[in-house]
Amino acid sequence: MVLYLIGLGLFNEQDITLRGLEALRRCSRVYLEAYTSILLCNKDKLEKLYGKEVIIADREMVESRAEEILEGADSGDVAFCVVGDPFGATTHTDLQLRARERGLTVRVVHNASVMNAVGACGLSLYRFGEAVSIVFFTDSWRPDSFYDKILANRKMGLHTLCLLDIKVKEPDLAALARGRTVYEPPRYMSIKTAIEQLLEVEAARGGGAYGPDSLAVGIARLQADDQQIVAGTLAQLLEVDFGLPLHSLVLAGEVHVTEQEMLQHYRAGRGPGAVTEPVPGLGSSENTGQAAAAGAGAGR
């Protein structure tokens, strides 16, 4: 009857909207897409709230066996749940197109995603350029296509949201070559790893898109109770312990005075493991320190 694409928000089972929850409870099957992002709660909590079994849809199922999700959707409603907003990844657009080709009705229930919630860091959403993805480097694969996009944003004075790689249920290639399917443990890129890779690419490309002294904002566990936001230079953020995933990074462009005032509340030097040097572009160290003291606890 209906394929529902339902956004779950960013943190835990409680972030689903009332509209999304009502739709989900009408469905005969409920899938959870579990490879482009993760909720910071386990499946059991979702099932308890929904009153439904939750079927984990990994990359293989969504990209290669999507027909399994759509099978039977012409006789009973099916929910495809996505962390954040349903259209945060192009894969979900593809699923919608497949459903429409089969003559199925598709309804979308939107929710918050990192693409809009990133405004919590104090930088205006209107001043963001194209977002980029940074993937884990390997010995033989070190993609740097993000660099030109960051450089273009920088030339226009725009901020850049860097989405950091996650690896969930990735096959072990060595085992696969021997005819065995073995999956590697999940990996989630940290802000530290992202910065190290960014600086490596800048050293190789030399276009001046950013450098160790560039202003940036590190964001960990956005929307969670222990959310952490720290503003500083890339060099300073390398020294910050951002803790558990998920992490994101924003490279600042031209910073408006109002944005500057907000970033002062998140300057490096607040919290365990943070550095204490002043942050270029955020006003004098005296004023910044006063703002940090006034905003103690903000962003957590």
Side-chain angles (χ1 to χ4, degrees):
M1 302 279 279
V2 178
L3 172 67
Y4 286 97
L5 302 179
I6 301 175
L8 299 184
L10 293 168
F11 178 31
N12 63 17
E13 76 281 5
Q14 298 179 11
D15 284 353
I16 190 171
T17 65
L18 288 175
R19 177 178 293 182
L21 185 59
E22 290 174 356
L24 186 150
R25 286 176 171 168
R26 292 194 297 269
C27 293
S28 58
R29 282 177 290 138
V30 177
Y31 292 90
L32 172 63
E33 187 267 272
Y35 69 90
T36 59
S37 190
I38 59 169
L39 281 179
L40 302 181
C41 69
N42 59 41
K43 185 168 77 84
D44 293 342
K45 289 187 175 181
L46 299 179
E47 293 179 331
K48 182 177 179 180
L49 176 63
Y50 302 164
K52 300 275 186 178
E53 177 190 3
V54 173
I55 304 167
I56 298 298
D58 58 18
R59 181 189 295 272
E60 181 184 358
M61 173 179 282
V62 177
E63 295 185 350
S64 303
R65 307 198 324 267
E67 296 305 311
E68 293 182 20
I69 299 172
L70 301 177
E71 192 66 37
D74 54 349
S75 58
D77 296 346
V78 173
F80 184 77
C81 301
V82 179
V83 178
D85 186 80
F87 297 132
T90 55
T91 296
H92 311 138
T93 301
D94 179 68
L95 183 64
Q96 179 180 211
L97 290 172
R98 288 170 179 256
R100 294 190 186 282
E101 288 172 359
R102 291 175 62 131
L104 299 176
T105 299
V106 179
R107 293 180 182 164
V108 181
V109 183
H110 294 284
N111 209 320
S113 77
V114 67
M115 301 297 287
N116 56 10
V118 69
C121 76
L123 296 174
S124 171
L125 292 177
Y126 293 102
R127 299 172 62 83
F128 275 77
E130 185 174 359
V132 302
S133 296
I134 301 177
V135 302
F136 282 109
F137 284 177
T138 68
D139 291 340
S140 59
W141 190 54
R142 310 179 88 75
D144 62 358
S145 59
F146 58 79
Y147 185 84
D148 295 320
K149 297 176 183 179
I150 295 174
L151 182 59
N153 286 345
R154 192 64 181 269
K155 288 180 177 178
M156 292 185 288
L158 302 176
H159 314 309
T160 304
L161 170 61
C162 301
L163 303 172
L164 309 189
D165 199 9
I166 70 172
K167 299 288 188 185
V168 179
K169 204 175 179 181
E170 292 288 321
D172 183 309
L173 297 182
L176 201 61
R178 295 193 296 270
R180 295 190 303 121
T181 301
V182 178
Y183 296 105
E184 298 179 349
R187 289 193 297 153
Y188 307 96
M189 183 179 287
S190 67
I191 290 167
K192 178 180 174 64
T193 297
I195 293 174
E196 290 172 344
Q197 293 188 182
L198 282 165
L199 293 177
E200 176 185 321
V201 171
E202 176 59 55
R205 298 285 293 269
Y210 49 80
D213 294 329
S214 295
L215 178 62
V217 186
I219 306 169
R221 299 171 303 284
L222 184 60
Q223 181 67 26
D225 294 337
D226 64 345
Q227 167 182 297
Q228 186 175 2
I229 300 175
V230 182
T233 65
L234 290 177
Q236 289 174 335
L237 296 186
L238 278 173
E239 305 302 320
V240 177
D241 179 7
F242 282 96
L244 296 173
L246 294 169
H247 293 185
S248 300
L249 179 68
V250 178
L251 300 175
E254 295 175 3
V255 180
H256 186 270
V257 62
T258 304
E259 294 174 310
Q260 184 180 107
E261 291 173 359
M262 282 298 301
L263 290 180
Q264 286 176 343
H265 290 274
Y266 301 123
R267 67 180 294 270
R270 300 173 55 251
V275 294
T276 57
E277 293 87 350
V279 180
L282 296 188
S284 68
S285 58
E286 179 181 355
N287 291 338
T288 303
Q290 292 172 349
R300 287 183 168 77

